[in-house]
Amino acid sequence: MSETFVVVGGDAAGMSAASKARREDPDLDVVVFEKGDWVSYAACGMPYYVKGDVDSLDDLVQVTPDEFRTERDIDLRTNHEVVGIDPEARTVTVAADDDRFEQPYDQLLVATGARAIEPPFDGMGLEGVFTIHDMDEADAIHTHVTESHPETAAIVGGGYVGIEMAEALASRGLDVHLFEMLPHVLQPFGESVAEVVEDHLRDRGVELHLDTPVEGFGGEDNVTAVDLESGTVPADIVVVGVGVEPNAELAADAGIEVGETGAIATDEYGRTNYETVFAAGDCAEATNVVTGEPDHVPLALTANRSGRAIGQTVTGTPTPVGGTAGTAIVKAFDLGAARTGILDESRAREAGFDPVSVEITAPTRAHYYPGAEELTVTLVADRDSERVLGASVVGREGVKRIDTVATALHSGLTVPDVEQLDLAYAPPFSPVWDPVATAARVLSGSLERPE
């Protein structure tokens, strides 16, 4: 009799695991329960659907439910919600169509993802107030903009989603106000990146309200204003993007251990405190490659990679899920910003490092080649070990250079190692000294101790 691998959640981690397990072991019964309609979709593309760069929500779907069922032979059941897990009996309780049933498993993956944080603001239930973390929410915003024709938008939160939605709605012709309770947007990217992005947002017509907590939203049935301590700002549509939190309650209720981050605790193979239960994606912790400690960084590649690894592990080839450096990149109109590792010096000190940093600005191409733009690079390292700890970059082109530093973090490279990397050079693509190598060269001087 074949074994059964049950997956709870049908997005990046869940479907990557199911697909890999099916390829590795054609005799394995693979059952996926997804409580909604959508599976295997590109959540990162939703702001661009709202903007109009993506024609249809269906364009964001990588593999359709029918393709999973017919081409990959996966027993995918949409609109089936797992409401309970019994790790001792190795069963899950599933609710669907006003019915409940028990599904046995031999191995289980919890891939329940994360949800948008909904602050306890007055007026969150008003028409025209949205969060954006799933396809239905993206569709609702798109429909509201298209059919209700709002004129003024309020974005609450200056993180990735806030910046991308500010661009999306401004590009649709709305007057956009962005509210951030901290002194700067993109807090994990560092102050120098934030200031460049803020100036660019203002140049593109976005009105920033920094260091400005929101108290709620006004209106009777439809939202009409954002309420602040200092007064109100008119708004016909509000998008709240203040972060996400892991959907870990299902696991916690079953006695599956949840870490200090609030996400499900796992080992290097994605296994929980139960031998036959795994967790991956936005609901699970991962190991930070800089600190070596558990971290919760909900990003698409982390979810896909960990799901694929677990799909191999459950079919007999133990495969580590890999660590996270928190590498991220965001587009703000004509500007790009990216970060990886630890940039905050206080956090670096808490992790036991003695941080040293430099900030340089260098051209993205040879100075004489047309189209060169300035790229600002901040590089952080530990003084004692000279190990690279993190970096940020901001500019109109070349921000994918952050991947060089991410590679250095995963490899444990030092600043001199990065300085000596044999990076590609041709005038249309880079100066002789790539901006990342230039930053490493400058930082090497700062790391030198006097005799």
Side-chain angles (χ1 to χ4, degrees), residues 90-136:
R90 296 190 186 181
T91 62
V92 297
T93 302
V94 186
D97 298 326
D98 299 322
D99 190 20
R100 290 194 177 204
F101 63 90
E102 303 294 316
Q103 168 68 52
Y105 67 81
D106 293 288
Q107 301 194 79
L108 174 71
L109 170 61
V110 180
T112 46
R115 61 185 177 273
I117 294 172
E118 294 193 17
F121 294 148
D122 292 336
M124 277 294 293
L126 290 170
E127 183 72 23
V129 177
F130 303 92
T131 58
I132 179 167
H133 191 65
D134 63 37
M135 297 279 268
D136 291 332

Side-chain angles (χ1 to χ4, degrees), residues 15-26 30 72 308 315:
M15 298 318 298
S16 293
S19 297
K20 185 61 176 176
R22 162 60 64 235
R23 286 194 296 271
E24 294 296 311
D25 185 355
V30 180
R72 302 192 182 186
R308 177 182 171 85
T315 52

Side-chain angles (χ1 to χ4, degrees), residues 165-255:
M165 288 304 298
E167 176 184 339
L169 295 178
S171 298
R172 297 288 295 264
L174 280 72
D175 293 327
V176 177
H177 295 255
L178 189 151
F179 299 85
E180 171 55 59
M181 65 182 297
L182 298 174
H184 293 286
V185 301
L186 295 177
Q187 186 269 335
F189 288 66
E191 186 174 328
S192 59
V193 170
E195 289 177 344
V196 175
V197 173
E198 287 161 5
D199 287 344
H200 187 63
L201 291 173
R202 293 188 184 101
D203 288 344
R204 296 304 299 262
V206 177
E207 185 166 341
L208 300 182
H209 304 260
L210 304 177
D211 222 351
T212 305
V214 168
E215 295 190 345
F217 311 116
E220 294 186 5
D221 297 318
N222 300 300
V223 67
T224 58
V226 177
D227 296 331
L228 310 172
E229 183 179 3
S230 58
T232 63
V233 175
D236 305 313
I237 181 173
V238 173
V239 178
V240 178
V242 296
V244 299
E245 54 191 355
N247 292 321
E249 293 83 0
L250 178 68
D253 290 345

Side-chain angles (χ1 to χ4, degrees), residues 314-332:
V314 299
T315 52
T317 306
T319 305
V321 297
T324 179
T327 309
I329 190 167
V330 63
K331 177 180 177 292

Side-chain angles (χ1 to χ4, degrees), residues 5 7 9-23 26 28-34 36-42 58 60-78 304 307-308:
F5 176 39
V7 176
D11 199 15
M15 298 318 298
S16 293
S19 297
K20 185 61 176 176
R22 162 60 64 235
R23 286 194 296 271
L28 182 69
D29 288 333
V30 180
V31 183
V32 180
F33 296 109
E34 166 54 48
D37 293 307
W38 300 93
V39 299
S40 190
Y41 60 88
D58 291 332
L60 299 179
V61 176
Q62 184 72 24
V63 183
T64 68
D66 283 344
E67 288 171 336
F68 278 117
R69 295 175 185 126
T70 60
E71 297 179 12
R72 302 192 182 186
D73 194 25
I74 291 171
D75 184 0
L76 169 61
R77 307 184 201 179
T78 54
N304 279 276
R308 177 182 171 85

